[in-house]
Amino acid sequence: MRKWFILMAVLAILTLALSACGGGDTNGNTGNTGDTGDTGAEAPYKVATFAWTQEPDSLNPFYTDMWFSAIMQQLYLCWPWEYDDSNAPYPHLVTQMPSVSEDGLTVTLNLRDDINWSDGEPITSADFLFTYEMVMADENIVNSQYPYDYLVDLQAPDDTTVVMSFEETFAPWESTFWRGILPEHVLRPVFESDGNIMEADWNRLPTVGCGPYVAEKWESGSFLRFVRNENYWKGTAKIDEIFFQFVPDDAAQTAAMISGDADLGTFPPISDVPALQDAGLTIFTQNGGYSEGWFFNLRDMASEPVKDLVVRQAIAKAIDREAIAEDLLLGLAPTAETFWDAIAASGWVSPDIEPWTFDPDGARQMLEDAGYVDTDNDGIREDPDGNPLVLYHGTTIREIRQDIQAVTQQYLRDVGIDLQIQGWDSDIFFGSYADGAPPAVGDVDIMEWSDGTYFPDPDTDYWLCDYIPSDDNPDGYNYYVCDEELDALFQAQLTESDPEARKELFHQISQIVHDKVYWYGLYVDADYWMVSPRLTGWKISGVTPFSNIMEWDINE
């Protein structure tokens, strides 16, 4: 990477020298290629460097659940509708937002007739049909077939029309469908040759895309380069290249931002915010619908105590979340009570929820009354069968998470619970069941990460019973619990067309998840961005952060 930056510096010096020899003044020139007027001097080659603490696992949207991968999509892919910096949807590939039939069973998309892939091939309804086929094909083990498995039919009566048909009203269609369209002309030959597209080169290097940039090179563990798509149907981006530099940890990201080696980063340690601001960086937050919290594993392989509601409720009382928010997050992130707190203002959270308050004495009494006592006076309680009250907590090696692990370990020890903690690199921790990822295979009782709904919709399929992973269902990602009452409520909200009735269903859902402590909130995790003063014209959406990336520019 040092060689790369040295090379770019030399190129910049040579460019300036050539410009000076030509007698031209490039100050304020916003051109991208070609000459700058009568001087014949070329415009400088503009590179924006983004520091990324997690390397993507795939650039095919149907083979990844990683946030750091998903938010790249607006660079090289396109959605039929995207979201502005107020998180409001607007038409992109479609002439207007899709129409819904009176009975709610049919959604019709009318595509623009001037949209094309970066190689010049038109984007048509056939690409939508192919995308659907790839998601639903048994030969392709995608991360999830949801929500496409709710379609009963998909038709393309002509090149610019896509008709989605449902058996029942599907309430969250706008926030769940078509988050990424696949190029049929590139991937169809792979599917016909291999029987699937799981190993397609395009998944790792989509050199044909439909965004303002296309992928050019990915060097594992080092960087990922996107170069400007000169055939982008909306025009040409102002920055020639987006360079994602993979950094090992938060400290390296902060150092790169402060030194000026990177122009944009995300999720800095809160403790670093003052230093970043002192260095002249803009710290910008955007609601992406995420909250940091603990997911509890109640599957067969989990430790027996974690399956006990009393133990989970005692944990909820034993931790001082306000102190964590103040001491570790400098008071910049509010505590999260439910999985839906980031969108609570829209009325999706039950008003009857009683927040968990810091009450260690109450936690001790609950455990004592349930038969968890410290018989050998070693500070750790035993269950009624004499087994130590030990639970296993796992998360990534992100700095704030390791700090939370250390603090909560002490909080729980104070009430007699031994919390064993472990951290993994994100690519290991967020792997699949087939990969043997610790959360997926149930190696931990408590899992911590930041997650959210199909934002801005409240829908989530995390707790559906059909998504419990197994050898027969390796793509399932419900690592937590099968609660039949909860499952029925989630299924009911999908087909509820009355907004108020759907909110009532989510009141019940949020109440159950909270009271049964299937998820325990730590803090509302707004998207934190660090932006260099070199970057101009940027706007960041919580749903599609880079939706206006073609308007970004560099002010040298």
Side-chain angles (χ1 to χ4, degrees):
M1 289 307 303
R2 289 189 62 194
K3 292 180 180 178
W4 171 257
F5 286 116
I6 292 170
L7 174 60
M8 292 309 299
V10 171
L11 288 174
I13 292 169
L14 288 173
T15 299
L16 291 173
L18 289 171
S19 298
C21 291
D25 182 2
T26 60
N27 290 334
N29 178 12
T30 58
N32 300 301
T33 59
D35 62 50
T36 59
D38 295 335
T39 66
E42 291 188 354
Y45 187 81
K46 299 179 181 180
V47 179
T49 300
F50 296 177
W52 235 230
T53 56
Q54 292 184 23
E55 184 171 2
D57 50 358
S58 175
L59 294 183
N60 185 320
F62 301 102
Y63 294 127
T64 181
D65 283 326
M66 286 183 65
W67 183 87
F68 280 87
S69 177
I71 67 166
M72 288 184 178
Q73 286 187 34
Q74 273 57 47
L75 272 75
Y76 64 95
L77 278 185
C78 48
W79 297 6
W81 51 92
E82 296 184 347
Y83 292 79
D84 62 22
D85 55 335
S86 298
N87 293 322
Y90 64 89
H92 185 56
L93 298 182
V94 290
T95 58
Q96 60 187 5
M97 290 301 291
S99 60
V100 183
S101 63
E102 188 173 342
D103 62 8
L105 302 182
T106 304
V107 178
T108 302
L109 287 65
N110 296 115
L111 305 181
R112 296 171 59 118
D113 61 6
D114 61 348
I115 50 181
N116 57 270
W117 297 97
S118 58
D119 60 0
E121 287 292 318
I123 300 171
T124 71
S125 57
D127 294 304
F128 286 75
L129 289 178
F130 177 74
T131 300
Y132 172 66
E133 181 184 348
M134 292 302 95
V135 172
M136 298 305 297
D138 291 336
E139 299 87 349
N140 280 325
I141 303 178
V142 295
N143 277 24
S144 173
Q145 292 182 330
Y146 180 86
Y148 299 88
D149 51 355
Y150 280 85
L151 285 173
V152 295
D153 193 26
L154 186 70
Q155 294 291 327
D158 56 56
D159 285 349
T160 59
T161 306
V162 179
V163 181
M164 304 162 57
S165 299
F166 300 91
E167 184 174 359
E168 298 180 274
T169 300
F170 188 77
W173 65 266
E174 185 179 282
S175 295
T176 54
F177 272 95
W178 309 121
R179 294 194 168 195
I181 310 299
L182 303 178
E184 181 187 31
H185 67 290
V186 174
L187 293 174
R188 171 74 71 183
V190 178
F191 183 67
E192 292 178 349
S193 172
D194 299 347
N196 62 68
I197 60 170
M198 295 169 61
E199 301 300 325
D201 292 340
W202 188 92
N203 298 342
R204 183 165 181 83
L205 202 66
T207 54
V208 174
C210 52
Y213 293 88
V214 292
E216 182 176 83
K217 186 174 183 180
W218 183 349
E219 185 170 308
S220 183
S222 185
F223 65 84
L224 174 58
R225 296 180 62 216
F226 291 91
V227 296
R228 187 169 54 199
N229 173 10
E230 301 295 347
N231 293 321
Y232 187 43
W233 58 276
K234 274 191 169 181
T236 54
K238 296 178 179 179
I239 298 175
D240 297 272
E241 178 181 320
I242 306 296
F243 184 88
F244 287 87
Q245 175 189 353
F246 303 136
V247 294
D249 50 35
D250 292 339
Q253 179 185 228
T254 296
M257 294 299 302
I258 290 177
S259 68
D261 288 337
D263 301 302
L264 182 136
T266 186
F267 295 113
I270 298 296
S271 58
D272 289 350
V273 168
L276 291 162
Q277 290 175 324
D278 288 345
L281 297 159
T282 297
I283 307 300
F284 176 81
T285 61
Q286 173 62 278
N287 180 17
Y290 282 74
S291 290
E292 184 88 6
W294 286 5
F295 294 88
F296 289 83
N297 174 20
L298 308 185
R299 293 178 289 165
D300 291 342
M301 77 290 287
S303 302
E304 287 304 314
V306 79
K307 302 174 187 176
D308 188 340
L309 177 58
V310 169
V311 172
R312 300 197 304 276
Q313 290 176 333
I315 289 173
K317 288 176 173 286
I319 296 172
D320 190 346
R321 294 179 296 174
E322 296 293 341
I324 289 175
E326 188 63 34
D327 297 341
L328 298 184
L329 302 167
L330 304 184
L332 299 176
T335 58
E337 196 61 40
T338 78
F339 192 74
W340 293 267
D341 268 29
I343 54 173
S346 299
W348 299 108
V349 176
S350 170
D352 299 325
I353 286 176
E354 296 184 12
W356 297 112
T357 57
F358 181 49
D359 182 10
D361 289 337
R364 295 185 191 98
Q365 191 61 56
M366 289 179 68
L367 293 170
E368 196 80 20
D369 293 345
Y372 295 92
V373 294
D374 181 10
T375 57
D376 56 6
N377 295 316
D378 66 348
I380 301 301
R381 298 174 183 274
E382 292 82 42
D383 66 18
D385 295 327
N387 301 306
L389 183 46
V390 181
L391 299 176
Y392 298 88
H393 182 286
T395 188
T396 69
I397 57 174
R398 184 179 170 191
E399 182 179 321
I400 183 61
R401 289 177 181 151
Q402 297 205 316
D403 290 344
I404 289 174
Q405 276 189 321
V407 170
T408 54
Q409 183 182 52
Q410 186 57 53
Y411 278 134
L412 295 189
R413 176 168 284 274
D414 287 345
V415 300
I417 299 174
D418 182 9
L419 187 71
Q420 294 292 311
I421 57 178
Q422 190 168 355
W424 288 271
D425 288 335
S426 59
D427 57 340
I428 296 174
F429 187 72
F430 290 124
S432 67
Y433 180 87
D435 297 328
V441 300
D443 283 348
V444 289
D445 301 314
I446 304 170
M447 301 150 274
E448 179 183 335
W449 63 76
S450 177
D451 220 320
T453 66
Y454 285 101
F455 183 73
D457 193 87
D459 180 44
T460 174
D461 48 1
Y462 260 1
W463 286 278
L464 294 179
C465 294
D466 287 347
Y467 288 9
I468 296 283
S470 65
D471 291 342
D472 296 329
N473 185 31
D475 56 336
Y477 48 83
N478 176 355
Y479 306 152
Y480 328 115
V481 61
C482 174
D483 181 316
E484 293 184 359
E485 179 186 11
L486 188 62
D487 187 275
L489 289 168
F490 272 118
Q491 298 291 353
Q493 63 84 21
L494 288 176
T495 59
E496 181 53 70
S497 57
D498 181 348
E500 292 306 313
R502 191 166 181 242
K503 284 183 178 180
E504 177 55 37
L505 289 170
F506 270 100
H507 288 177
Q508 297 178 57
I509 289 170
S510 58
Q511 191 85 50
I512 290 172
V513 172
H514 175 270
D515 293 353
K516 292 189 176 181
V517 200
Y518 292 152
W519 185 85
Y520 177 64
L522 294 171
Y523 59 91
V524 176
D525 193 19
D527 297 345
Y528 268 81
W529 296 91
M530 301 168 280
V531 186
S532 162
R534 293 178 71 241
L535 283 182
T536 63
W538 55 270
K539 294 181 181 178
I540 295 179
S541 162
V543 188
T544 52
F546 302 141
S547 55
N548 85 318
I549 190 73
M550 67 177 295
E551 301 299 329
W552 295 26
D553 204 350
I554 292 178
N555 180 24
E556 296 292 354

